[in-house]
């Protein structure tokens, strides 16, 4: 096994499913999510800086995923598939239901909620990743939770 193959295997095992779930939630389309994830992994293999820690690497990967998802949405819009298409992604049924409901939120709210609840980032870390202020992230989380609460109550 070459050094690049070993690195790919390590990165995939550590971050692959989480990055895929994030890309799927953002892109709302399995094919687009796979394309974005592939681009993220290629950038990791060939364009990544030296990482100080696994947390630094994780932050970099999610930042790249965020940027690539935004770029894809700007450049083209494809038809959306239901999130059941992600059947091979290891998610409990309750999480899949929540992801379907979160898919109806704005991109900003979806991103903040996913990074906070699924990836465990703090509000400050999310603000830094997205290049906005801490109060902005708090408001996105608040509005996203309110929208989900409203959806659940109906």
């Amino acid at each position: 096994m070459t050094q690049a193959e070993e690195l790919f295997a390590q990165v995939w095992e550590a971050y692959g499913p989480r990055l895929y779930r994030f890309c799927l939630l953002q892109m709302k389309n399995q094919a687009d999510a796979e394309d974005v994830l592939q681009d993220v992994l290629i950038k990791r293999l060939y364009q990544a800086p030296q990482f100080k820690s696994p947390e630094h690497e994780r932050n970099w990967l999610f930042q790249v995923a965020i940027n690539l998802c935004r770029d894809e949405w700007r450049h083209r819009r494809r038809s959306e598939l239901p999130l059941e298409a992600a059947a091979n992604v290891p998610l409990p049924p309750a999480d899949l239901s929540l992801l379907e409901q979160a898919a109806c939120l704005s991109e900003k709210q979806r991103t903040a909620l996913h990074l906070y609840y699924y990836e465990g980032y703090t509000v400050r870390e999310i603000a830094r990743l997205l290049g906005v202020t801490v109060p902005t992230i708090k408001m996105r989380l608040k509005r996203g939770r309110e929208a989900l609460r409203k959806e659940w109550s109906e």
Side-chain angles (χ1 to χ4, degrees):
M1 189 179 274
T2 68
Q3 187 176 8
E5 290 172 333
E6 286 178 25
L7 177 60
F8 178 84
Q10 291 171 353
V11 171
W12 174 256
E13 185 168 323
Y15 308 107
R18 295 171 77 169
L19 283 167
Y20 178 68
R21 183 174 49 230
F22 176 79
C23 293
L24 186 61
L25 181 63
Q26 296 303 310
M27 300 308 296
K28 301 181 189 178
N29 177 298
Q30 188 174 5
D32 289 342
E34 290 169 356
D35 288 346
V36 169
L37 179 59
Q38 179 179 345
D39 291 344
V40 170
L41 295 174
I42 288 170
K43 285 184 181 287
R44 170 57 186 96
L45 289 176
Y46 300 108
Q47 298 174 357
Q50 290 292 337
F51 297 111
K52 299 172 193 160
S53 67
E55 186 64 25
H56 181 222
E57 179 180 27
R58 177 176 168 244
N59 290 344
W60 187 88
L61 288 166
F62 273 96
Q63 182 66 59
V64 170
I66 289 165
N67 292 338
L68 289 174
C69 287
R70 283 184 182 157
D71 290 347
E72 282 297 312
W73 272 109
R74 279 189 211 119
H75 288 80
R76 65 176 186 210
R77 296 204 183 252
R78 289 191 180 170
S79 62
E80 296 177 10
L81 295 176
L83 287 175
E84 290 89 22
N88 60 346
V89 177
L91 285 175
D95 285 356
L96 186 57
S97 173
L98 180 59
L99 287 176
E100 286 175 337
Q101 291 172 340
C104 298
L105 300 174
S106 73
E107 180 265 336
K108 292 176 180 181
Q109 291 171 350
R110 243 186 359 255
T111 300
L113 286 169
H114 185 88
L115 291 174
Y116 187 79
Y117 288 108
Y118 282 96
E119 301 306 327
Y121 281 99
T122 66
V123 171
R124 186 176 306 282
E125 290 170 330
I126 296 169
R128 194 176 11 191
L129 273 174
L130 300 178
V132 298
T133 64
V134 169
T136 299
I137 295 302
K138 288 181 179 179
M139 186 57 68
R140 288 178 186 177
L141 289 170
K142 178 181 182 282
R143 289 182 179 157
R145 286 189 294 257
E146 288 172 354
L148 287 175
R149 236 182 257 120
K150 183 179 177 184
E151 180 79 22
W152 288 333
S153 67
E154 293 174 357

